[in-house]
Amino acid sequence: MTNATILVVDDEELIRWSLRERLKRDGYDILEAGTGREAIDRLGEGVDLVLLDYRLPDTDGLSVLRELKKLDPDLLVILLTSFVSVETAVEAMKLGAYHFANKPFNIDEVSATVARALETTRLRREVKQLRENEARPYTLRAIVGESDTMDALRQMVAKVAASPASTVLLTGESGTGKDLVAKTIHYSSARASRPFMNITCSALPEQLLESELFGHERGAFTDARMQKRGLLESAEGGTVFLDEIGEMVPALQAKLLRFLEEKSFKRVGGAHDIHVDVRVVAATNRNLEEQVARGSFRSDLYYRLNVLPIRLPALREHPTDVPALVDFFVDMFNREFKKRITGVSPTASNLLEHYAWPGNVRELRNIVERAMLLAEGQRLEAHDFGVLSTSPGSGDPFELPATGVDLEDLERSLVVQALRRSGGNQTRAAALLGLNRDQIRYRIEKFGLTTTP
Ligand SMILES: Nc1ncnc2c1ncn2[C@@H]1O[C@H](COP(=O)(O)OP(=O)(O)OP(=O)(O)O)[C@@H](O)[C@H]1O
Ligand SMILES: [Mg+2]
């Protein structure tokens, strides 16, 4: 790490000397200025912190402070002053001074204040950097797919992100992108610089989930030795993502509902209401309506969550996006594995487009990852996607059990499975069985199957 650079601004040579000697020993690089003008001129040399005398020959400290902050709003300034009125102090704080040191100052105190100030900015910069890194992958463009379905999804996400506080319910099968969309909503919204907090409701027992979410007071239960803030408090100004909301127990559902309606809650064992400003994004791969009908999910909470529902389509509902997604993941894993795979062969592409993707985009991602790890050539071939294809000539695709089979039953079962896997799409079901449309229609009629999944 390079040393921090400190600019010492004072017209008295002796004071500059004593500060310089001490701070040099502390390991900083020192620049000096005797006037306000000089201080502003030297700022361009890369300054992290300024020790600024309030009385300067050409101007006063406040004017210099104002100038410096205009040039670099993040600059740390510590004012050195012998007497100061309350108004001056307030004004200096408003202008963004970090601290005052009274003259004559104690050099150890100045040294400690400088160290603290630099540490604070270092941490602040680090958090900012981490947030930016975290946010980078979650722009609207991260939601890949050119189909109308995906266009509509992106438009909806953009609208929701722009509406500052609304609660959102994401539904969709596993692997359809609920996590991705929740983060994109957060990082494309005005809340982006505030925390995104995430909790999986099924991962914790009831009591733990409640105190994770709402926090607890000291002594609220046996293990509560200290007061603890919950996720809702820690996420102030940001977003809380409640994943697998369908698994939340009814008692907590009631507490969550109250929070959504009143924007306030009590910590476990707490008496007073805590008000926070967070957006709640909930997600589930369950059918909540069914759960409401069965009585395992509160209908009032369902209606409250369902004001802005976003349904993520299963991949088999937008198979035309498969090639774009494959390209996206090929690029991604090229970077990650330092490979130069150029793409996918036509046969492989066809195979991928006709597969039913029960595990949705996650499955596609995993399959591409595996293929890229195993591939020997520059291009991904059908056999690199071994899990999807049964390679011809490598023995019998099905082995006849010793007890034999009923061929009619087997055929019926395969047709049913193909239809189920393709979401009832006859063309794709046919492709899975190596049949054409007429051949599959014939079998659907023969077996009296309905094609609505
Ligand atoms: N449209 C998309 N574009 C790019 N990547 C996507 C898309 N949809 C999903 N993914 C990626 O697929 C993977 C699975 O998505 P995600 O984790 O968001 O699914 P999920 O709906 O939360 O699943 P689960 O219900 O199992 O939690 C992630 O790596 C995600 O980034
Ligand atoms: Mg998820």
Side-chain angles (χ1 to χ4, degrees), residues 105-210:
F105 47 75
N106 172 327
I107 193 90
D108 289 332
E109 262 171 40
V110 172
S111 157
T113 309
V114 165
R116 214 176 326 115
L118 287 170
E119 179 63 6
T120 312
T121 24
R122 193 184 63 77
L123 289 174
R124 208 177 293 144
R125 275 195 204 135
E126 211 170 282
V127 168
K128 197 166 160 235
Q129 188 65 46
L130 284 173
R131 286 234 169 92
E132 278 168 12
N133 288 348
E134 180 78 1
R136 197 165 299 137
Y138 301 109
T139 63
L140 274 183
R141 267 180 302 141
I143 304 175
V144 175
E146 297 310 317
S147 61
D148 292 347
T149 317
M150 291 313 263
D151 263 345
L153 176 69
R154 269 189 301 267
Q155 277 175 30
M156 185 68 183
V157 168
K159 264 188 212 156
V160 167
S163 83
S166 36
T167 304
V168 185
L169 178 63
L170 305 176
T171 59
E173 290 175 15
S174 185
T176 47
K178 296 184 294 296
D179 265 72
L180 175 68
V181 165
K183 288 180 182 147
T184 308
I185 288 174
H186 173 74
Y187 289 113
S188 323
S189 77
R191 298 176 175 273
S193 63
R194 309 291 307 156
F196 174 88
M197 298 268 183
N198 167 347
I199 194 164
T200 304
C201 301
S202 60
L204 298 171
E206 174 183 347
Q207 192 196 41
L208 220 60
L209 178 61
E210 180 175 13

Side-chain angles (χ1 to χ4, degrees), residues 328-370:
F328 173 76
F329 290 124
V330 167
D331 279 351
M332 187 171 114
F333 291 119
N334 268 335
R335 261 175 279 132
E336 197 171 322
F337 304 152
K338 307 217 179 331
K339 286 209 165 192
R340 291 215 189 121
I341 301 287
T342 52
V344 175
S345 77
T347 323
S349 183
N350 191 38
L351 185 73
L352 294 170
E353 231 179 306
H354 287 97
Y355 179 63
W357 302 113
N360 296 298
V361 184
R362 178 179 297 116
E363 184 183 11
L364 184 143
R365 177 196 152 121
N366 292 344
I367 281 172
V368 172
E369 178 176 10
R370 197 188 111 101

Side-chain angles (χ1 to χ4, degrees), residues 227-368:
Q227 183 203 64
K228 188 182 143 177
R229 284 159 149 245
L231 232 57
L232 289 171
E233 274 175 83
S234 311
E236 171 64 35
T239 305
V240 168
F241 177 41
L242 301 176
D243 206 358
E244 299 186 19
I245 186 91
E247 319 294 314
M248 194 179 253
V249 297
L252 275 187
Q253 291 175 23
K255 195 162 174 180
L256 177 64
L257 176 66
R258 178 174 170 256
F259 168 68
L260 291 175
E261 281 174 346
E262 295 167 19
K263 295 281 166 221
S264 69
F265 61 91
K266 292 184 173 68
R267 292 194 190 120
V268 178
H272 69 282
D273 285 323
I274 295 171
H275 187 95
V276 294
D277 165 34
V278 299
R279 184 211 294 270
V280 170
V281 176
T284 179
N285 53 22
R286 295 244 201 143
N287 184 333
L288 282 189
E289 257 166 84
E290 246 170 42
Q291 279 189 264
V292 169
R294 267 193 285 118
S296 60
F297 202 84
R298 290 181 68 111
S299 59
D300 44 9
L301 177 58
Y302 172 66
Y303 293 122
R304 186 68 194 71
L305 290 172
N306 205 37
V307 175
L308 266 181
I310 301 185
R311 182 183 162 276
L312 303 208
L315 185 50
R316 63 179 170 281
E317 294 170 38
H318 55 113
T320 55
D321 288 326
V322 168
L325 282 161
V326 170
D327 287 349
F328 173 76
F329 290 124
V330 167
D331 279 351
M332 187 171 114
F333 291 119
N334 268 335
R335 261 175 279 132
E336 197 171 322
F337 304 152
K338 307 217 179 331
K339 286 209 165 192
R340 291 215 189 121
I341 301 287
T342 52
V344 175
S345 77
T347 323
S349 183
N350 191 38
L351 185 73
L352 294 170
E353 231 179 306
H354 287 97
Y355 179 63
W357 302 113
N360 296 298
V361 184
R362 178 179 297 116
E363 184 183 11
L364 184 143
R365 177 196 152 121
N366 292 344
I367 281 172
V368 172

Side-chain angles (χ1 to χ4, degrees), residues 365-414:
R365 177 196 152 121
N366 292 344
I367 281 172
V368 172
E369 178 176 10
R370 197 188 111 101
M372 299 226 356
L373 283 170
L374 300 180
E376 312 243 295
Q378 293 281 66
R379 204 169 67 156
L380 301 178
E381 304 292 337
H383 64 257
D384 293 322
F385 299 98
V387 262
L388 305 186
S389 64
T390 42
S391 44
S394 69
D396 300 312
F398 293 102
E399 191 171 342
L400 181 66
T403 50
V405 291
D406 182 324
L407 195 55
E408 280 280 301
D409 274 359
L410 181 61
E411 187 183 1
R412 182 178 198 281
S413 159
L414 289 173

